Each structure stands twice: as C-alpha cells, then as structure tokens.
Amino acid sequence: MTRNRELSWDGCVNGRDLGGLGRVRPRAVVRMEAPTRLNEAGWAAAWAYGVRTVVDLRDSGEREPDRAPRPAGVTTVHAPLDPVGTPFYERWKKIDHLASPLYFPAMLAEHPEPVITAVRAIANAAPGCVLFHCAGGKDRTGLLALVLLTFAGAAPEEIVADYLLTYDRMKQRYDELGFRDQLAAVTELLAARGTTFEASLTSTITSLTMPDFLLGNGLSDAELAALHARLTT
C-alpha cells in the first residue's frame, strides 16, 4: 500500500496519494507537508502528476515563502482549519497543542465549519489532482484525510495506518527542529488519557456518519455529488 502511494518529489518527505484507500481513485487527492521546500523539479513532478489545486490548511501567520515558484496553472486555496482565537483553540492548546488525535472528535462536533470549507474547496476545485496540506502534514491534514476517507468508505485500519505513516516520514524534519520523538511523545499523551492511536482514531471514524456529517454541516447536494465524482471517478 505505502509503496504504491508514495510520492518522492524533490523537497517533499511526507507526500502520498490517497488513491487505493476505500473507493478513492489514484491522482484525485494527495496529502503532504507544506510544499515550501519543493524545488523546481519537485513542482514539475507535482504538475506532471496532475496537481492543479493546492488547498492550504494553515493559518495565515504560518505561511512561508516557497523555495521555487509554483507552476502558473496551479491554483492555491487558503482554508485554515484551526479555529484560532476561539475558546476551543485555547483549551486544546493546553491539552495537546492540537497535535494528536485527541482533539479530532471535539473539533468535528464543535467547529465543523472549517472542515466543511476545506472539503468544499476540494469538491469545487478545477479538474486535476488536489494537493492538501498543513505544516507537517499530520494533524490538520490527517483530520481532513480522515473525513475524506471515511466518506469514501475506507476501513478504519486503512485510515489509521495512513495517519501513522507521517510520524516516520517527518522524523528527520522533527529531529532538525530539535523536537523529541513525536511518536513517543503522542503515544505517552494518549496513554495518559487512557487511549491509543488506534482506539482514538477508530472511535472518531466509526462515529462519523457519512454523508450526514457533510450535508448536516452545510455541504450542498451538488457539492456532495462533485466530491463523490472527484474522489471516485
């Protein structure tokens, strides 16, 4: 599964195609870390792969200049996922810095609007592959991937395995930043709350009723049809 989906574009360490999980077709949606380190060859590879839209889930204050210019035909859509400045955000910063699966169910229940905005950006994107990312491509990207994959009928174990791949892919980058081992750190955080990656993520996935979650939080029937067509045909 991993080898078939892995994207080794120059400057990217955490890119992968969601095609092959559930009913998602290849080259429909790609997840990765912020593409700021892609060089000209990396962007050329993304273009050749079919990427025509980039959905940026970061807050405006996180954005950094790209190392190389994006191809002229690539459209970038900003859809910040974290509800910065809200009581929710301040509360979860103290719990897990919004950097573990713990906050996923609360986010989906209390602040579904940013998630729907990001889903809408993917559904309404121009023809071609959609690349979505946050900073490290782990949690905000992981939450959006979880929503898309649940909609597309992926099994919980597939979604969990895809989420966990990021810890290995980003380890060198985290080491460069002087962070402690993130897999160990988050495992300890989850254990202190009496859960695990698998249990926490699976609980979120199985409680997410599709397509009711999307339609009930503002996605239109036409947008739902467009999302289905993009992901599966």
Side-chain angles (χ1 to χ4, degrees), residues 32-220:
M32 65 177 287
E33 79 273 27
T36 51
R37 293 195 184 192
L38 287 180
N39 56 24
E40 289 185 8
W43 278 113
W47 178 265
Y49 199 77
V51 172
R52 298 296 180 267
T53 302
V54 175
V55 177
D56 187 345
L57 306 176
R58 298 173 299 171
D59 186 64
S60 59
E62 298 177 81
R63 296 169 198 159
E64 301 173 346
D66 288 339
R67 178 174 293 179
R70 304 183 181 198
V74 170
T75 298
T76 300
V77 179
H78 297 292
L81 207 64
D82 281 344
V84 176
T86 65
F88 173 94
Y89 185 78
E90 296 306 316
R91 182 171 77 251
W92 280 95
K93 265 181 35 177
K94 295 175 184 176
I95 297 171
D96 70 351
H97 297 280
L98 288 88
S100 89
L102 281 175
Y103 85 95
F104 285 4
M107 176 74 183
L108 294 171
E110 297 178 42
H111 288 279
E113 299 87 0
V115 178
I116 297 300
T117 297
V119 171
R120 180 176 290 118
I122 292 172
N124 292 338
C129 181
V130 178
L131 184 161
F132 63 95
H133 71 89
C134 52
K138 180 168 70 68
D139 293 296
R140 285 167 290 186
T141 298
L143 177 58
L144 182 56
L146 180 152
V147 170
L148 295 173
L149 290 171
T150 301
F151 171 71
E157 55 268 25
E158 290 181 296
I159 301 173
V160 172
D162 178 68
Y163 174 84
L164 289 172
L165 284 174
T166 291
Y167 286 94
D168 178 60
R169 302 295 180 272
M170 287 294 291
K171 188 176 187 308
Q172 182 178 344
R173 293 276 175 88
Y174 291 141
D175 289 345
E176 290 172 2
L177 293 169
F179 295 166
R180 66 169 293 203
D181 182 88
Q182 289 298 289
L183 182 60
V186 180
T187 297
E188 290 174 12
L189 175 68
L190 295 173
R193 296 270 171 167
T195 189
T196 63
F197 281 107
E198 292 77 10
S200 179
L201 286 164
T202 299
S203 176
T204 301
I205 295 160
T206 55
S207 66
L208 193 57
T209 304
M210 289 294 184
D212 296 359
F213 170 78
L214 300 175
L215 293 173
N217 287 293
L219 201 71
S220 70

